[in-house]
């Protein structure tokens, strides 16, 4: 069963049953509301807003420093059913967005220097990735695939290993293989269980190479440190997909080739393939079937 993180929303005025149901369905919310047409007493408002992710309030509700402190760090959104905002302590609200002061471990991550990078699929793209990462001081490259590629691997002194050994020994794993029957679902529970708890998983190949439910469990349980996905199944992911709720998962909309130069090269290549085929000549980038 898919797990969805529920957001707690506190509403300071009763809303119709059909409205409440719509709100809960639309935002995957647990809604707690003040069930009276009279203004909510401050102590009840403080109790209700504690730990809430969102607050829907009225002009009669004073949203001040004390209330914001009571709400805590979970509070992300304040929505007021009014045009006026004089009941909102805007200066205090501003303090709770944006960056805080610098801290020694603030925004820290894992570096490439002296790391082991595992590449699933040492084809053209896999080689280009290794070539770009090497100057950052990567200590060791591992790769896996359908067969060893010693000539291509020599440039990086990359070692051919079984896929689960690559998972176990790599600090960063980059999936750059083609989608085939053999690679469909390759990265699943067994793969993630072999990975280091400090490892970062990156997929730029195809979404179906990854079992996304297993990846979600690995990320939420702390089995692996983080993931970066340029491809998913489906594309785009639904806005309520569990992976989109995670702070340790960055998802891009399949933009690995998104430069003017690359897209122009792709279009010219496709056109030249077409023209060569029509002329009965070998296609420059023919897929051998």
């Amino acid at each position: 069963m898919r797990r969805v993180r529920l957001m707690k929303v506190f509403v300071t005025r009763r809303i119709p049953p059909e409205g409440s149901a719509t709100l809960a369905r639309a935002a995957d919310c647990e809604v707690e509301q003040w069930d009276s047409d009279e203004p909510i007493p401050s102590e009840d408002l403080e109790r209700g807003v504690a730990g809430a992710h969102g607050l829907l309030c009225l002009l009669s509700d004073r949203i001040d420093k004390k209330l914001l402190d009571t709400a805590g760090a979970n509070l992300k959104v304040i929505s007021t059913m009014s045009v006026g905002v004089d009941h909102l302590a805007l200066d205090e609200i501003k303090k709770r967005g944006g960056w805080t002061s610098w801290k020694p471990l603030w925004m820290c991550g894992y570096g490439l220097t002296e790391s082991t990078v595992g590449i699933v699929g040492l084809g053209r793209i896999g080689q280009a990735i290794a070539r770009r990462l090497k100057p950052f001081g990567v200590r060791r490259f591992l790769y896996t695939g359908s067969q060893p590629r010693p000539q291509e691997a020599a440039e990086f002194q990359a070692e051919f290993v079984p896929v689960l050994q690559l998972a176990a020994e790599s600090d960063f794993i980059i999936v750059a293989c083609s989608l085939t029957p053999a690679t469909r679902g390759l990265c699943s529970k067994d793969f993630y269980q072999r990975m280091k708890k400090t490892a970062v998983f990156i997929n730029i190949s195809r979404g179906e190479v990854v079992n996304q439910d297993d990846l979600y469990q690995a990320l939420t349980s702390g089995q692996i440190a983080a993931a970066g996905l340029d491809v998913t199944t489906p594309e785009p992911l639904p806005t309520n997909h569990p992976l989109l709720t995670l702070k340790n998962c960055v998802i891009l909309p399949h933009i690995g080739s998104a430069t003017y130069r690359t897209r122009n090269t792709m279009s010219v290549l496709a056109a030249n393939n077409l023209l060569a085929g029509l002329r009965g000549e070998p296609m420059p980038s023919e897929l051998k079937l």
Side-chain angles (χ1 to χ4, degrees):
M1 185 176 75
R2 190 178 72 186
R3 294 175 56 195
V4 177
R5 188 181 74 174
L6 293 176
M7 308 295 281
K8 178 184 174 185
V9 175
F10 188 72
V11 181
T12 66
R13 178 59 57 89
R14 181 178 59 201
I15 52 180
E18 63 273 15
S20 176
T22 300
L23 176 63
R25 286 195 302 269
D28 290 319
C29 295
E30 288 181 340
V31 178
E32 183 180 346
Q33 62 183 12
W34 173 246
D35 194 16
S36 171
D37 287 333
E38 297 300 317
I40 182 172
S42 58
E43 58 270 20
D44 289 310
L45 178 54
E46 290 175 10
R47 177 197 56 77
V49 79
H53 298 85
L55 171 65
L56 196 161
C57 63
L58 306 181
L59 190 64
S60 56
D61 303 315
R62 306 303 301 177
I63 312 303
D64 54 17
K65 182 181 186 301
K66 181 182 178 183
L67 184 75
L68 293 168
D69 289 340
T70 302
N74 277 349
L75 188 63
K76 305 298 182 186
V77 180
I78 299 172
S79 181
T80 179
M81 203 174 88
S82 65
V83 175
V85 294
D86 51 291
H87 59 302
L88 305 178
L90 298 182
D91 288 341
E92 289 296 329
I93 292 171
K94 288 178 183 178
K95 291 178 183 178
R96 288 160 171 79
W99 295 347
T100 60
S101 60
W102 184 88
K103 302 177 183 66
L105 299 181
W106 182 57
M107 299 290 283
C108 280
Y110 298 100
L112 286 163
T113 302
E114 292 298 311
S115 69
T116 296
V117 172
I119 300 176
V120 181
L122 196 66
R124 278 188 309 106
I125 295 174
Q127 294 169 52
I129 292 169
R131 198 169 290 120
R132 287 161 172 77
L133 294 183
K134 189 175 179 180
F136 286 92
V138 173
R139 178 176 58 86
R140 184 183 180 210
F141 283 102
L142 304 178
Y143 75 100
T144 193
S146 57
Q147 60 186 10
R149 308 188 69 170
Q151 186 174 346
E152 292 84 354
E155 179 182 351
F156 321 105
Q157 295 81 50
E159 179 184 351
F160 181 78
V161 296
V163 64
L164 292 182
Q165 182 180 341
L166 180 143
E169 297 182 10
S170 299
D171 299 301
F172 298 88
I173 295 174
I174 304 169
V175 182
C177 59
S178 300
L179 177 62
T180 67
T183 62
R184 190 182 303 273
L186 176 68
C187 301
S188 57
K189 184 177 181 179
D190 289 344
F191 185 93
Y192 303 126
Q193 286 181 338
R194 297 294 185 97
M195 289 176 61
K196 301 176 182 179
K197 293 185 181 298
T198 55
V200 177
F201 176 83
I202 300 166
N203 183 23
I204 63 164
S205 61
R206 289 294 180 267
E208 291 183 65
V209 174
V210 171
N211 183 312
Q212 292 176 170
D213 291 336
D214 290 349
L215 176 61
Y216 176 80
Q217 294 298 328
L219 289 166
T220 55
S221 68
Q223 179 61 51
I224 67 175
L229 308 176
D230 187 46
V231 288
T232 59
T233 304
E235 292 181 1
L237 280 182
T239 56
N240 64 347
H241 195 281
L243 284 172
L244 294 173
T245 69
L246 302 181
K247 293 183 178 180
N248 59 342
C249 184
V250 176
I251 301 178
L252 299 177
H254 204 153
I255 57 171
S257 64
T259 67
Y260 292 115
R261 181 175 181 176
T262 300
R263 294 287 169 84
N264 183 65
T265 300
M266 291 167 64
S267 62
V268 171
L269 192 61
N272 287 337
N273 276 335
L274 176 65
L275 293 173
L278 291 174
R279 291 193 295 260
E281 300 172 356
M283 299 169 70
S285 298
E286 181 179 353
L287 176 62
K288 305 295 184 181
L289 302 176

